[in-house]
Amino acid sequence: MPDAAATRWDPALYARFERERAQPFFDLVARLPGGAVRRAADLGCGSGELTRTLAERWPDAAIVGVDASESMLARAAEGAAHPRVSFAQGDLRTWAPAAPLDRIVSNAALQWVGEHDALLGRWVGWLAPGGALAVQMPNNDGEPTHRILHALWRDARFAAALGAAPPAVRVQPGAWYAERLLALGCEVDVWETRYLHRMPDAAAIVEWVKGTALRPVLSRLDGAPRDAFLAAYHERIEAAYPRGEHGVWFPFPRLFFVAQRKP
Ligand SMILES: C[S@@+](CC[C@H](N)C(=O)[O-])C[C@H]1O[C@@H](n2cnc3c(N)ncnc32)[C@H](O)[C@@H]1O
């Protein structure tokens, strides 16, 4: 069974910030090496729109998108069918390809699971000679959106209903990934980008976080406690991201790496 982090995704809510969420995917795949691609996988593919763009990028490739969430895959199935793109339900910790892959892409998904050391070894092991792996993860555990969420989680008003604290930080420093991938014999490119999104107001930031990091809270709280949590969260977000003349500026750090197996 997929765990709670992988389920209860709301494709409609997630799609509200489609342009801002898509940009890191395109910035990631732009740094992949050229060369023939026959087989590729998109791990944690979500609702599949971005997976389909890979078919245009690699005109000879069969591409499989893998995700644990039924609701995200249902949305993927609603999209236009492409003869070279398929989708499969699976946990990215245990799914395995039938044959070596030329490209593996995982955008904004690996942060939901632990065991990065073991997973990097598995994923690099699936690469054909010269194949490449590209990963992007939000790196915002230290940002106000997440610090406020964690503080409210421990707040006496909500702690009992919320239960165990949110998982510890899963995204390691960039150098950690570089070291592991070099030890696995890859050429490595690691970088960080701090996007600066212009939001209409603080409520839009709350809506954004509702689509991802707030999901575990929203699935545990109902009614008045849920309204109280969201009101307290909104108030603190409004104070942490002050309004400028042209909107509310929402900094969003992300970590990227591309690793290529030697030909
Ligand atoms: C933030 S969305 C990113 C979706 C897509 N890659 C994109 O860039 O739009 C994260 C996705 O990871 C999936 N996910 C989380 N944990 C997973 C797991 N253990 N196995 C497979 N998919 C998982 C979720 O279901 C969700 O669709």
Side-chain angles (χ1 to χ4, degrees):
M1 277 290 286
D3 64 11
T7 54
R8 298 197 197 96
W9 283 82
D10 178 344
L13 187 55
Y14 187 75
R16 275 204 51 191
F17 302 98
E18 198 170 15
R19 188 178 59 81
E20 290 85 350
R21 292 197 200 274
Q23 189 61 49
F25 177 89
F26 294 118
D27 293 348
L28 175 69
V29 295
R31 298 270 279 262
L32 274 164
V37 179
R38 305 238 176 269
R39 279 179 300 275
D42 181 4
L43 302 181
C45 63
S47 46
E49 291 87 0
L50 297 173
T51 315
R52 284 192 184 84
T53 69
L54 296 174
E56 310 309 319
R57 179 174 290 270
W58 300 318
D60 299 319
I63 298 155
V64 59
V66 179
D67 203 283
S69 160
E70 273 172 32
S71 53
M72 288 298 221
L73 288 172
R75 176 60 64 94
E78 285 166 12
H82 191 291
R84 290 184 288 104
V85 179
S86 60
F87 294 97
Q89 187 166 23
D91 192 306
L92 56 79
R93 290 165 291 194
T94 51
W95 179 86
L101 297 166
D102 301 304
R103 299 287 180 270
I104 300 171
V105 173
S106 184
N107 188 58
L110 187 57
Q111 77 280 3
W112 287 106
V113 304
E115 308 150 40
H116 288 188
D117 202 1
L119 276 180
L120 290 186
R122 264 168 77 77
W123 293 3
V124 168
W126 297 340
L127 291 175
L133 159 71
V135 173
Q136 183 275 125
M137 290 177 279
N139 198 7
N140 44 13
D141 264 302
E143 296 297 304
T145 45
H146 287 53
R147 284 192 284 102
I148 293 167
L149 193 162
H150 294 165
L152 282 174
W153 193 296
R154 292 187 298 268
D155 187 296
R157 286 172 292 168
F158 312 113
L162 286 173
V169 180
R170 285 170 166 154
V171 179
Q172 304 289 336
W176 185 93
Y177 295 97
E179 289 284 349
R180 299 255 168 332
L181 291 162
L182 286 165
L184 289 166
C186 296
E187 297 289 333
V188 182
D189 189 7
V190 181
W191 71 101
E192 292 175 59
T193 301
R194 194 171 172 83
Y195 295 86
L196 188 56
H197 300 301
R198 180 156 71 106
M199 309 297 278
D201 48 31
I205 299 179
V206 176
E207 281 302 293
W208 177 308
V209 186
K210 272 185 183 175
T212 53
L214 269 171
R215 291 178 312 107
V217 173
L218 300 179
S219 66
R220 287 171 167 88
L221 296 182
D222 276 320
R226 178 187 168 118
D227 293 345
F229 189 101
L230 286 174
Y233 187 71
H234 178 273
E235 188 183 314
R236 293 190 194 187
I237 289 290
E238 200 159 41
Y241 296 94
R243 170 172 280 284
E245 228 177 289
H246 298 93
V248 175
W249 296 100
F250 178 28
F252 201 114
R254 294 179 183 269
L255 174 69
F256 299 75
F257 57 84
V258 169
Q260 185 172 22
R261 198 174 151 184
K262 295 203 170 74

